[in-house]
Amino acid sequence: MKAAGVGIVSYGTYVPRYRITPDEIGKVWGVDGKAMGKNLNIHSKSVPSPDEDTITISTEALRVAIARGKIDPRDIGALYVGSESHPYAVKPTATVVAQAIGATPSLTAADFEFACKAGTAAIQVCMGMVSSGMIKYGVAIGSDTSQGAPGDALEYSASAGGGAFIIGKGPVIARIDATSSYTTDTPDFWRREGQRYPSHGGRFTGEPAFFRHVTECAKRIMSEQGTKPSDYQYVVFHQPNGKFPQRAGKMLGFTDDQMRYGLVTPYIGNTYSGAALIGLANVLDHAKPGDHVLVVGYGSGAGSDAFDITVTDEIATYDRSTGTPVQESLESGTPLTYAVYAKFRGKIRLSGS
Amino acid sequence: MSVARFWRETLRRYNLGASKCPDCETVFFPPRPVCPRCAVHRKSIAKMEPCQLSGHGKVYSYTIVHEAADGFEMQVPYVLAMVQMSEGPMLTGQIVDVEPSQVKEGLEVKASFRKLREEGEGGVIHYGYKFAPASQAPKAP
Ligand SMILES: [Zn+2]
């Protein structure tokens, strides 16, 4: 799908401050955590404080985007939060976030769910509403505080963080020239209502799920745009671990150099709905006018959304003095022991609870 | 605290909504309908300007809590502080993302949107401001 005159007006991210290493997790379960981390290409993952959740992470990320873009919150006509860890089963995350940034009451708001690609789906909806002239600015947030069952392979990667993107007609720091999707019914990963931890299809999560959707979707948008991998300075994939996106990139013909800024999971873990968006934010933190960026998200269940993005001259004067650069979130963090991590993540039950 | 009472206070808890006297320029948090500092209070009636605190401030005084209040068991020990905001008002709030031993009077902090408390597992979740150190670049593990 070609898009006209729509793009990213501003963006912000938030990654909680605490980290845990695969080594520390492995020690508890009698597993060689170092080897596990090496296999997954994960050095550490972020851990939210007990007082952080998808609502607080979304709000902090969006506050950064609003400050950087000098946006009047009352100009935001739509706000969507994509997550698989909304704090309430019934009561929208989006309403709290909208109130906390002062965008209420004249806007439409909703929560999106599509495993890890709910945030990219929200970008697509905002693009449509902005293009049609229904709204001036649309906000798309992808944010999660995901959990793996204790001892499960997912526990080494599932982390917390979020990205907020303000979509509008201009002036934009990056044009979104096209978007494409690839969607099928594939049961690779799920969580039933009321279940605390998700289930997954083990090895089934690879070939027929992540790799098929990501590569097919990437090929589709490049064929529609008449582009090839070497036409892009940077590529960003969804990144459930550090290895899958590298392999998808190789399968498609991208180099490590094109992937270097878009790959953030090795240091903060898989932030689910936030992952591709934080990767894109890191690319934009480093990008120059004219840079061409391909983004391919993925959500289990399953689907991929791709975006063909061109960075504009506006990026040269874009004010990033608010918020934390993604690179700093990758390089900093306070390490936790497994015991404190278990306490923070509510894995320890208190008497009476 | 009741759901309704908390809801009425979301403007200031979520957004640090304050008010400013147009004559003496004093900023009040929580917002006040009249200025108690100006000699002729009536002058400021209906003239107080709504404004929003920037969220930046300095720790004025603090205490480290070891006996958790209900719902704070997971956060012990934690720091409660009086924070002097850059616009003037003094706010009380928790200092997060910090080792209690690193909190000092004068520490520069910024507001951070956090969960304040939950009304049990099935109840409403209250959100609002806490404070975190304004700058920190701790080492990665
Ligand atoms: Zn006054």
Side-chain angles (χ1 to χ4, degrees), chain A residues 88-149:
Chain A
Y88 289 97
V90 177
K91 186 185 181 325
T93 297
T95 54
V96 184
V97 177
Q99 186 90 42
I101 56 144
T104 49
S106 298
L107 84 166
T108 179
D111 290 358
F112 281 18
E113 280 186 25
F114 194 144
C116 299
K117 83 159 193 78
T120 53
I123 292 180
Q124 292 177 325
V125 173
C126 288
M127 287 171 65
M129 294 182 78
V130 168
S131 307
S132 66
M134 284 173 72
I135 56 171
K136 182 173 181 189
Y137 296 131
V139 168
I141 299 173
S143 154
D144 261 305
T145 55
S146 299
Q147 295 235 47

Side-chain angles (χ1 to χ4, degrees), chain A residues 14 16-21 43-44 49-53 55-57 59-60 63 87-88 91 95-96 99-102 324 328 330-335 343-344 346 348-350 353, chain B residues 7 10-11 13-16 52 73-77 94 96-99 102 110-116 118 121-130 133 136-141:
Chain A
Y14 181 84
R17 174 169 183 258
Y18 296 98
R19 302 283 182 274
I20 189 166
T21 60
H43 305 287
S44 61
S49 300
D51 59 358
E52 291 182 302
D53 64 15
I55 287 178
T56 65
I57 290 171
T59 301
E60 288 288 312
R63 281 184 173 167
Y88 289 97
K91 186 185 181 325
T95 54
V96 184
Q99 186 90 42
I101 56 144
T324 307
E328 201 179 307
L330 303 184
E331 289 167 2
S332 63
T334 303
K343 186 176 85 164
F344 274 18
I348 296 174
R349 309 209 81 178
L350 295 178
S353 68
Chain B
W7 178 74
T10 54
L11 172 71
R13 279 182 199 275
Y14 283 14
N15 298 322
L16 294 173
Q52 202 179 333
E73 296 85 356
M74 295 297 184
Q75 298 176 51
V76 176
Q94 192 181 337
V96 294
D97 282 0
V98 71
E99 277 298 314
Q102 285 170 354
K110 59 172 195 270
S112 177
F113 194 69
R114 299 283 174 130
K115 257 194 307 200
L116 297 183
E118 297 174 37
E121 286 212 349
V124 74
I125 310 168
H126 298 306
Y127 295 91
Y129 60 83
K130 292 186 180 182
Q136 53 186 357
K139 277 203 194 81

Side-chain angles (χ1 to χ4, degrees), chain A residues 236-312:
Chain A
V236 183
F237 296 107
H238 174 54
Q239 36 204 291
N241 52 55
K243 275 284 163 70
F244 275 26
Q246 286 180 326
R247 228 177 97 201
K250 291 244 155 63
M251 288 162 77
L252 287 161
F254 288 95
T255 64
D256 285 344
D257 200 43
Q258 285 166 296
M259 287 187 262
R260 71 183 189 282
Y261 293 131
L263 193 57
V264 296
T265 289
Y267 301 96
I268 58 172
N270 178 13
T271 55
Y272 284 58
S273 303
L277 300 188
I278 296 173
L280 172 59
N282 196 32
V283 165
L284 293 175
D285 278 354
H286 291 91
K288 296 185 304 296
D291 281 349
H292 203 179
V293 185
L294 179 67
V295 179
V296 190
Y298 173 75
S300 293
S304 266
D305 300 325
F307 301 88
D308 186 297
I309 294 171
T310 305
V311 178
T312 71

Side-chain angles (χ1 to χ4, degrees), chain B residues 15-122:
Chain B
N15 298 322
L16 294 173
S19 68
K20 187 176 178 180
C21 171
D23 290 319
C24 70
E25 303 205 319
T26 307
V27 175
F28 297 96
F29 183 93
R32 283 177 178 265
V34 291
C35 178
R37 299 208 2 169
C38 286
V40 188
H41 293 182
R42 262 174 313 167
K43 248 179 93 180
S44 63
I45 292 176
K47 283 187 188 151
M48 297 293 285
E49 296 160 356
C51 62
Q52 202 179 333
L53 303 180
S54 65
H56 289 279
K58 281 183 183 170
V59 170
Y60 175 80
S61 184
Y62 67 96
T63 183
I64 299 173
V65 180
H66 293 275
E67 292 289 328
D70 245 13
F72 286 75
E73 296 85 356
M74 295 297 184
Q75 298 176 51
V76 176
Y78 58 89
V79 181
L80 274 183
M82 293 170 74
V83 175
Q84 176 106 53
M85 305 306 289
S86 57
E87 294 87 351
M90 188 82 80
L91 273 61
T92 303
Q94 192 181 337
I95 312 286
V96 294
D97 282 0
V98 71
E99 277 298 314
S101 62
Q102 285 170 354
V103 177
K104 298 274 177 291
E105 283 160 18
L107 176 74
E108 289 193 34
V109 294
K110 59 172 195 270
S112 177
F113 194 69
R114 299 283 174 130
K115 257 194 307 200
L116 297 183
R117 54 178 293 128
E118 297 174 37
E119 306 269 341
E121 286 212 349

Side-chain angles (χ1 to χ4, degrees), chain A residues 122-201:
Chain A
I123 292 180
Q124 292 177 325
V125 173
C126 288
M127 287 171 65
M129 294 182 78
V130 168
S131 307
S132 66
M134 284 173 72
I135 56 171
K136 182 173 181 189
Y137 296 131
V139 168
I141 299 173
S143 154
D144 261 305
T145 55
S146 299
Q147 295 235 47
D152 187 271
L154 275 179
E155 199 186 12
Y156 295 86
S157 56
S159 69
F165 283 74
I166 300 176
I167 308 299
K169 271 192 169 158
V172 298
I173 54 170
R175 250 178 15 240
I176 306 177
D177 294 319
T179 181
S180 240
S181 293
Y182 186 89
T183 309
T184 72
D185 174 12
T186 307
D188 57 328
F189 175 97
W190 61 91
R191 181 168 63 83
R192 293 278 302 274
E193 184 74 42
Q195 292 295 302
R196 191 169 169 80
Y197 300 113
S199 309
H200 55 85

